[in-house]
Amino acid sequence: MNTPTTIVAPATPHGVGGIAVVRISGPASYKIVQHLSGVALNIRYATYININDLSGNCIDRGIAIFYKKPGSYTGEDVVEISCHGNPVIVQHIVDICCELGATLAEPGEFTRRAFINGKLDLVQAESVGALIQSQSAESASLNLRLLEGDLSKIFAQIKHVLLQSLSSVEFELDVSEEALQPNLQKDLFQNVLLLVDGLSTLLDSYQRGKLLTQGAKVVIVGSPNVGKSTLLNRLVGFDRAITSAEPGTTRDPVDVNLTIGGVSVSLIDTAGLRSATGEIEKEGVSRTLQYAKSADCIIEMYEARETNKEVLSFALPDSIPRIHVFNKTDLLESHKIIALRKTHKNTCFISALSGKGLDELESKIKDTLGLNRALSSDVALTTARQKDSAKNALASINNALGLLSQSTLELELISFELHEALQSIDRILGKTTPDDILNNIFGAFCVGK
Amino acid sequence: MKHFDFDVVVVGGGHAGVEAVHIASTLGSRTALISLDKAAIARMSCNPAIGGLAKGQIVREIDVLGGLMPRISDQAGIQFKMLNKSKGRSVWSPRAQVDKRLYEKNIQLSLAALTNLTIIQGECVDIATEDDRVSGILLRDGSFVSCKSVVLTCGTFLNGLIHIGDRKIRAGRMGEPSSDGITEALVERGFKAGRLKTGTPPRLVKDSINWEKTKMALGDESPAPFSYRTKGFSPINEPCHQTKTSTACHDIILSNIQMSPMYSGDVFGTGPRYCPSIEDKVHRFSHHDSHTLFLEPEWLGSDQIYINGFSTSLPESVQIRALRETPGLESVEFFRPGYAIEYDFFPPSQLKATLESKQISGLFFAGQINGTSGYEEAAVQGLVAGTNAVKHIENKYPLVLRRDTSYTGVLIDDLITKDTMEPYRMFTSRAEYRLLLRFSNTDRRLIETSKSAGLIDDAYYDEIQKKLELTSQVSQALSSSIAPDEINPRLLQAGEAEIKQKTPANKLLMRPSVTITDLPTRLFENISISEIEPYFVWEAYLEAETEIKYDGYIQRQLRQIDRLKHQESFILPVSIDYLSINSLSLEGREKLNNIRPETLGQAMRISGVSPADISILSVVLAKSKR
């Protein structure tokens, strides 16, 4: 019980860059990275690792360095992972670490630990001081944005229900010397169900919220020469990728940004998937697979005339939603298209060259990314910190639900769980003190003999 | 002009003062108690009860810390009741109706037996200092008492002003003069002072009550004592009675509410919301048709009855008219009316966790002068302040209790980190580690601290140890296994699933509806309970069971404590200039500068100091250390 927690957070600023660093500090840091990479790290050696998610899919490759305590920034065991500077990847790595037992670092927590372990000298302290300041400024402005938004309203509602429930419980424990309030158990049960509902909905919205703030990644894959680059050029509105009749023209993935359904989408054209012969093309294919694995959506493209030609789609991760597209419909007679439509229900028929069917494709992309729901009025969790809070709160609330289902009402334990949930919510909305609850009691109940 | 010389001088003989002088003289200091009226020492000014929700836990803590209140309450108690018995064992709280006269008498006798205690009747008017250290106090008659530590426990006496309707009486309690001069003297030295208000209900003539119209309420059959010192505990069970206010009573109150000084704006002090006056209750909760009133004897065979729930500062005539609309009180007569009292207090953020003033070394504050309310809250502060007054002289490690080991720790930490706006009373919800702070494990929480501070002697330590040993014997016994046919009939009865193979007793106890009494008695056959009071035998079993049933929660609370350990033990330098740290939030800077917390843990609990402020503070401190 004496071991401190292991914390994780991005150590580089949010945004797209060359590389990003995720820092993990605490006794479990080594094990967590060993788990996600599958390799052992040497102390202070740069190790090239695969960064795998929990089902073992590689989401990125990067460099991990293990600093054994006390020879680290915080004075604890620290692992720093340098990955590609894509916010989606960074977020994903942080999420994986949390799943593996780390908790998200509070602002300034690395520095606090470094300080506690006597690791800071004057120069470091000064520079870190500035960093913390900017961090807290950032979190302040973030909180401000949240406070203006619907999200905070929902959290505030959740908090309100929590406070109300806690006040009824504390009234019983702290003030009342008479029989329990009638309907106490029933009312609490209803409130707790409300909370389960609210928090679950919020958690479901996390993925969508992340797309809103951090954008989506859509990767086009397919055999060589099915028209992937033509599609990209058509969607972006100018000739970004080189196109030619020669298969295998695209070797390096080509990346463009466009807006679909109000969300910034990074569209990536990749090298055609086939059993490549040349060295360069081979590397291109391997990169295609890698990109596809970190996508939010994959466009799997076929030529309408050769629909049964196998793409290397078996190599693509199943967990990522795919859109099947038949291209070059301009080269096919219309009755054949009608016949194909009957056998391929969920497929988009387009002509990248003429632009026909692109509206349908765009709408399909929106569907797949979940962008067709009314996003502006809808509410979504956007940061991993919010998700973490909601998740922890939900766990406590579920415990409370369990306690409320028992025949004997264990009010002090219910109170404990509700308090824990409140603390999780407080990480987003700010501190609740015992006085807040007492104030509530004094306001709502006639107390005192 | 007389001149006295002592080590420790305590000003005020209320519940804080009594514990302060008792512990100081027990610790070997030459101690003086300055009291306006020797006969009023340990007077219970308000309700005739000790303990209650959260307060009962404090009384137990006072016992393990060597105080007087628990033992004398056991002697003077006339009805004992465990509150919250249906609501979870960490909030069970013992309460006793107490014979006020016997309580006062027995405390005074205990003090008289202390060889190095001198009681001086007089009024303190000023504190003498040399280089910001206490050197003595000055009395109204010009006498000077030199000493090394002073504990101020002036209760409601500092510039006390009683209100009954528009009548104003300068007094510390009804019939006793107030104490003037100390506030002004301290404010002149830079102390901040404030004004609070509290109230008390009328005292009724017993024979004027029609008892047949009231409902009787008794205490527990087999009650819990407060003190481990109490032997052969079998107190009497004197009944209290209940009645309820009527709408006619409410109408009288409402139509005269402007005559209450609280409503006319005559009273400036803030009153406690948890103990509202009847006019407040009727006004704020007008949808309630009635409020319960409790009729409690002031002492055994008393001709005076305390009417709990009818605290008021309305004019006496209105009080009487309203009460006479209450069943059983149709022809009630008063010994004296209810009243409100305003008094000075010193916001306790000016104190260290030892209850010593940050400004003047050797000057301690305890009790209502710190803005608290309640006999128990006062007593335990007196105990801590009295102890530290001695430790200060001896230059020894002070007594500072933590929030995770005691309500006392919560109380004092709250006082010094929060700016109290109303009289502070303890609630169990103020303790974030409530599940760990059970009245039944007070011994385990505090015995070692108490012993090492010298507050209890070896004999008492051994006495308490016996119960702790019994608890571990019971826990040991609970690790043995039970065969299905030994327990299945009981499980069936309780609607629990039967067991199929031998199962450890402690595993069975994890089931919510299985209790230790369901287990076969053979488990406990070899346990010796000789020389332990029957009540504490029961409590040992209760604790052993609780440790199993609550294990998951206890572990979670321990982890919470662990997470904050570093901050709690991190001492902030006295010299730190918060106002010059520009990166702190403005509010954080001001709060930190006003309160000047002693540890990072305290700083974290100050409202308005954000987590970001704490991070910045940590970094700045690291910088200044080099």
Side-chain angles (χ1 to χ4, degrees):
Chain A
M1 64 156 252
N2 278 320
T3 48
T5 52
T6 297
I7 51 173
V8 61
T12 42
H14 180 84
V16 180
I19 62 160
V21 175
V22 174
R23 184 185 283 147
I24 309 145
S25 175
S29 53
Y30 179 85
K31 275 206 171 140
I32 288 172
V33 178
Q34 194 183 27
H35 195 112
L36 65 78
S37 67
V39 297
L41 304 176
N42 288 327
I43 294 168
R44 286 177 176 269
Y45 269 86
T47 310
Y48 185 54
I49 59 163
N50 285 338
I51 302 165
N52 302 319
D53 65 18
L54 289 182
S55 34
N57 297 317
C58 177
I59 57 157
D60 194 13
R61 293 202 176 84
I63 300 292
I65 302 176
F66 172 43
Y67 301 90
K68 181 97 187 121
K69 74 170 186 184
S72 71
Y73 174 69
T74 59
E76 302 174 327
D77 281 356
V78 168
V79 181
E80 289 182 355
I81 300 175
S82 307
C83 60
H84 290 102
N86 175 337
V88 179
I89 292 177
V90 171
Q91 191 63 60
H92 207 147
I93 295 174
V94 169
D95 286 348
I96 293 167
C97 291
C98 288
E99 294 291 342
L100 291 173
T103 49
L104 270 176
E106 297 293 331
E109 196 175 351
F110 286 106
T111 312
R112 183 152 65 229
R113 291 185 176 204
F115 169 68
I116 285 164
N117 294 322
K119 296 297 295 182
L120 285 177
D121 66 26
L122 178 63
V123 180
Q124 281 170 325
E126 262 168 344
S127 61
V128 174
L131 188 72
I132 290 174
Q133 239 177 301
S134 71
Q135 262 184 5
S136 48
E138 190 188 313
S139 71
S141 77
L142 177 74
N143 279 331
L144 198 63
R145 259 184 288 137
L146 281 174
L147 282 175
E148 288 162 357
D150 294 335
L151 182 62
S152 75
K153 270 188 212 146
I154 291 204
F155 269 113
Q157 270 165 15
I158 289 177
K159 183 169 175 166
H160 175 75
V161 175
L162 260 174
L163 268 176
Q164 235 182 0
S165 310
L166 261 174
S167 303
S168 314
V169 173
E170 294 302 341
F171 171 75
E172 292 298 343
L173 298 179
D174 260 356
V175 182
S176 168
E177 291 175 19
E178 291 169 38
L180 293 181
Q181 306 154 63
N183 299 332
L184 177 69
Q185 188 159 9
K186 200 181 110 219
D187 291 350
L188 282 175
F189 204 89
Q190 269 172 1
N191 274 348
V192 164
L193 283 180
L194 264 178
L195 291 169
V196 169
D197 236 41
L199 287 166
S200 307
T201 314
L202 278 177
L203 278 171
D204 289 345
S205 72
Y206 174 57
Q207 194 59 28
R208 227 147 33 85
K210 216 170 67 176
L211 291 181
L212 256 186
T213 55
Q214 293 168 7
K217 188 165 159 185
V218 176
V219 176
I220 313 171
V221 303
S223 299
N225 217 16
V226 293
K228 299 184 290 297
S229 302
T230 312
L231 174 63
L232 177 122
N233 287 344
R234 171 61 72 172
L235 284 174
V236 73
F238 61 93
D239 284 350
R240 169 67 178 82
I242 303 164
T243 51
S244 82
E246 191 184 316
T249 307
T250 307
R251 284 169 175 173
D252 268 342
V254 176
D255 186 332
V256 294
N257 275 307
L258 60 155
T259 307
I260 298 177
V263 165
S264 154
V265 171
S266 161
L267 185 68
I268 297 153
D269 175 23
T270 61
L273 290 172
R274 65 173 173 183
S275 310
T277 43
E279 269 302 303
I280 299 174
E281 205 186 333
K282 254 189 196 163
E283 178 58 27
V285 170
S286 119
R287 285 192 191 183
T288 297
L289 288 175
Q290 206 180 310
Y291 266 87
K293 279 174 184 167
S294 63
D296 295 297
C297 167
I298 295 170
I299 296 178
E300 195 176 320
M301 215 168 159
Y302 298 87
E303 207 192 300
R305 291 175 304 179
E306 307 172 324
T307 52
N308 41 14
K309 196 169 176 184
E310 182 58 61
V311 193
L312 294 174
S313 61
F314 58 87
L316 299 172
D318 282 336
S319 56
I320 298 166
R322 282 185 231 181
I323 301 170
H324 291 262
V325 172
F326 285 173
N327 189 23
K328 306 193 188 177
T329 50
D330 51 316
L331 300 180
L332 219 60
E333 294 91 342
S334 53
H335 72 269
K336 284 191 175 163
I337 297 175
I338 293 164
L340 269 174
R341 274 194 191 272
K342 277 184 184 153
T343 49
H344 295 81
K345 286 255 159 37
N346 271 322
T347 303
C348 281
F349 290 80
I350 64 162
S351 165
L353 202 64
S354 74
K356 209 174 160 193
L358 288 187
D359 287 351
E360 188 192 338
L361 175 61
E362 205 165 299
S363 148
K364 194 96 186 169
I365 294 173
K366 283 198 241 170
D367 264 357
T368 312
L369 293 176
L371 303 178
N372 271 352
R373 276 165 275 174
L375 269 174
S376 51
S377 63
D378 216 344
V379 172
L381 297 185
T382 50
T383 68
R385 192 183 301 283
Q386 293 165 8
K387 186 191 80 168
D388 225 40
S389 297
K391 205 171 134 187
N392 292 339
L394 183 61
S396 309
I397 292 295
N398 275 325
N399 288 342
L401 195 62
L403 289 166
L404 276 164
S405 317
Q406 288 176 15
S407 53
T408 41
L409 202 54
E410 297 189 272
L411 285 176
E412 49 183 352
L413 302 185
I414 292 167
S415 157
F416 180 85
E417 298 291 358
L418 295 179
H419 268 289
E420 289 246 299
L422 188 59
Q423 273 168 23
S424 301
I425 302 294
D426 278 352
R427 280 159 191 249
I428 294 170
L429 291 185
K431 201 150 74 168
T432 309
T433 64
D435 283 330
D436 294 336
I437 296 163
L438 289 171
N439 287 346
N440 223 6
I441 295 179
F442 299 144
F445 299 96
C446 180
V447 302
K449 274 185 170 178
Chain B
M1 252 7 91
K2 277 182 265 182
H3 185 278
F4 305 93
D5 182 49
F6 292 97
D7 297 324
V8 176
V9 167
V10 176
V11 181
H15 304 284
V18 162
E19 297 294 347
V21 294
H22 173 256
I23 203 71
S25 52
T26 304
L27 287 169
S29 285
R30 292 173 305 127
T31 308
L33 173 59
I34 313 295
S35 171
L36 287 165
D37 179 1
K38 279 185 182 186
I41 287 172
R43 180 152 297 168
M44 297 169 71
S45 327
C46 198
N47 61 326
I50 281 177
L53 296 174
K55 293 162 175 272
Q57 283 93 322
I58 292 180
V59 181
R60 253 300 164 77
E61 290 179 7
I62 296 174
D63 188 54
V64 179
L65 296 171
L68 269 180
M69 176 177 269
R71 187 157 37 108
I72 307 300
S73 300
D74 285 345
Q75 293 167 5
I78 54 175
Q79 188 209 91
F80 288 78
K81 194 174 164 69
M82 187 66 79
L83 303 178
N84 265 352
K85 199 69 193 270
S86 63
K87 292 173 192 165
R89 53 194 81 196
S90 72
V91 292
W92 289 1
S93 307
R95 182 187 63 197
Q97 293 300 134
V98 167
D99 181 324
K100 285 185 174 181
R101 286 188 173 171
L102 187 59
Y103 186 85
E104 215 170 279
K105 185 181 139 211
N106 285 3
I107 291 267
Q108 290 176 17
L109 284 174
S110 302
L111 295 189
L114 295 170
T115 44
N116 30 3
L117 174 66
T118 308
I119 298 175
I120 299 170
Q121 191 153 307
E123 184 185 2
C124 170
V125 290
D126 201 358
I127 314 293
T129 56
E130 279 166 26
D131 306 328
D132 287 334
R133 293 181 65 90
V134 158
S135 59
I137 62 157
L138 193 69
L139 300 185
R140 174 79 64 203
D141 67 4
S143 312
F144 185 75
V145 187
S146 67
C147 62
K148 301 180 185 102
S149 298
V150 169
V151 185
L152 292 180
T153 67
C154 307
T156 57
F157 279 71
L158 292 183
N159 292 318
L161 184 63
I162 285 177
H163 296 262
I164 308 169
D166 57 5
R167 265 178 76 200
K168 294 176 185 53
I169 308 159
R170 294 180 68 89
R173 258 190 306 246
M174 190 61 99
E176 298 175 41
S178 61
S179 172
D180 311 325
I182 294 180
T183 308
E184 294 72 14
L186 288 178
V187 167
E188 201 159 291
R189 289 173 186 275
F191 279 86
K192 280 177 291 181
R195 201 110 169 110
L196 289 174
K197 170 246 149 188
T198 189
T200 194
R203 306 300 194 270
L204 314 180
V205 176
K206 185 183 177 188
D207 291 341
S208 69
I209 298 169
N210 181 357
W211 294 95
E212 277 168 17
K213 288 195 178 174
T214 65
K215 203 175 97 190
M216 191 171 85
L218 282 165
D220 294 340
E221 292 286 340
S222 34
F226 289 112
S227 174
Y228 295 91
R229 289 179 209 260
T230 302
K231 303 287 172 212
F233 186 61
S234 80
I236 57 164
N237 192 350
E238 181 73 7
C240 293
H241 293 79
Q242 291 179 19
T243 181
K244 280 183 166 185
T245 57
S246 63
T247 45
C249 161
H250 293 189
D251 291 344
I252 292 174
I253 290 168
L254 285 175
S255 56
N256 289 286
I257 205 155
Q258 311 78 0
M259 299 170 83
S260 163
M262 307 306 302
Y263 285 80
S264 65
D266 260 10
V267 169
F268 297 104
T270 317
R273 285 171 304 168
Y274 49 81
C275 193
S277 61
I278 188 70
E279 49 266 40
D280 248 6
K281 286 196 268 192
V282 170
H283 176 71
R284 288 186 47 220
F285 296 90
S286 51
H287 53 287
H288 289 204
D289 290 339
S290 71
H291 298 275
T292 308
L293 302 176
F294 302 82
L295 301 165
E296 304 170 358
E298 291 261 281
W299 55 86
L300 198 60
S302 159
D303 52 347
Q304 296 193 19
I305 299 297
Y306 180 93
I307 180 159
N308 206 337
F310 204 86
S311 161
T312 179
S313 53
L314 287 164
E316 185 168 356
S317 60
V318 179
Q319 296 182 21
I320 282 230
R321 272 199 292 141
L323 270 181
R324 284 185 178 164
E325 296 297 337
T326 303
L329 304 179
E330 292 84 354
S331 46
V332 76
E333 297 289 345
F334 284 2
F335 272 103
R336 62 170 163 83
Y339 62 83
I341 181 164
E342 278 188 288
Y343 54 95
D344 294 339
F345 82 110
F346 292 87
S349 53
Q350 303 172 88
L351 304 180
K352 303 177 189 173
T354 54
L355 295 180
E356 185 184 14
S357 134
K358 287 171 185 165
Q359 288 189 44
I360 297 181
S361 159
L363 178 61
F364 295 79
F365 290 71
Q368 265 170 309
I369 195 171
N370 285 340
T372 62
S373 97
Y375 308 141
E376 305 80 0
E377 286 89 342
V380 80
Q381 289 174 67
L383 179 52
V384 170
T387 303
N388 288 332
V390 176
K391 302 290 176 191
H392 168 76
I393 298 170
E394 293 174 347
N395 205 13
K396 285 198 183 137
Y397 207 69
L399 176 67
V400 175
L401 299 174
R402 301 203 315 261
R403 296 184 70 92
D404 57 313
T405 60
S406 60
Y407 276 98
T408 307
V410 173
L411 168 69
I412 294 177
D413 187 71
D414 275 356
L415 289 181
I416 63 176
T417 58
K418 294 181 170 62
D419 271 321
T420 328
M421 295 316 292
E422 69 181 324
Y424 179 104
R425 77 154 273 186
M426 185 49 72
F427 289 103
T428 65
S429 60
R430 297 197 195 269
E432 61 273 48
Y433 308 119
R434 172 165 70 191
L435 298 176
L436 302 181
L437 305 185
R438 303 181 293 277
F439 86 99
S440 52
N441 73 347
T442 315
D443 36 28
R444 195 183 293 282
R445 292 189 270 120
L446 294 175
I447 185 172
E448 295 303 330
T449 313
S450 180
K451 173 91 186 312
S452 62
L455 305 183
I456 51 173
D457 57 20
D458 290 349
Y460 199 43
Y461 178 82
D462 293 343
E463 179 84 41
I464 297 175
Q465 274 297 341
K466 276 188 221 153
K467 184 206 147 190
L468 288 175
E469 275 158 28
L470 177 59
T471 309
S472 26
Q473 278 187 54
V474 176
S475 306
Q476 186 65 38
L478 289 173
S479 61
S480 48
S481 287
I482 300 175
D485 47 335
E486 284 182 291
I487 186 81
N488 278 345
R490 298 302 295 263
L491 291 179
L492 268 178
Q493 243 176 21
E496 285 276 339
E498 293 177 89
I499 53 169
K500 301 233 156 46
Q501 55 201 27
K502 284 192 111 185
T503 308
N506 45 26
K507 210 172 152 197
L508 279 167
L509 273 184
M510 309 272 268
R511 300 188 184 184
S513 56
V514 178
T515 67
I516 203 163
T517 50
D518 292 326
L519 303 175
T521 48
R522 67 153 180 91
L523 289 180
F524 313 111
E525 266 162 11
N526 294 326
I527 292 174
S528 146
I529 53 164
S530 64
E531 291 180 54
I532 304 179
E533 288 291 311
Y535 170 76
F536 286 103
V537 172
W538 175 81
E539 208 179 84
Y541 275 78
L542 173 75
E543 261 308 297
E545 184 193 74
T546 306
E547 283 168 8
I548 291 165
K549 281 198 173 295
Y550 279 39
D551 184 56
Y553 284 92
I554 291 172
Q555 296 310 323
R556 278 164 77 183
Q557 293 240 286
L558 290 175
R559 280 197 293 275
Q560 291 173 340
I561 294 166
D562 205 55
R563 259 178 259 149
L564 293 170
K565 216 163 64 187
H566 289 297
Q567 280 93 328
E568 293 301 336
S569 56
F570 190 95
I571 309 284
L572 298 175
V574 189
S575 58
I576 185 163
D577 178 9
Y578 294 105
L579 295 179
S580 72
I581 306 172
N582 290 324
S583 40
L584 290 175
S585 70
L586 201 64
E587 191 186 2
R589 246 182 284 172
E590 278 170 6
K591 285 282 175 67
L592 287 164
N593 186 54
N594 282 342
I595 295 184
R596 307 202 69 81
E598 295 163 279
T599 64
L600 207 55
Q602 288 175 16
M604 284 170 62
R605 283 186 289 276
I606 298 173
S607 66
V609 176
S610 69
D613 287 336
I614 296 297
S615 308
I616 289 160
L617 200 56
S618 305
V619 173
V620 169
L621 285 168
K623 213 165 84 175
S624 63
K625 262 195 174 173
R626 306 283 155 151

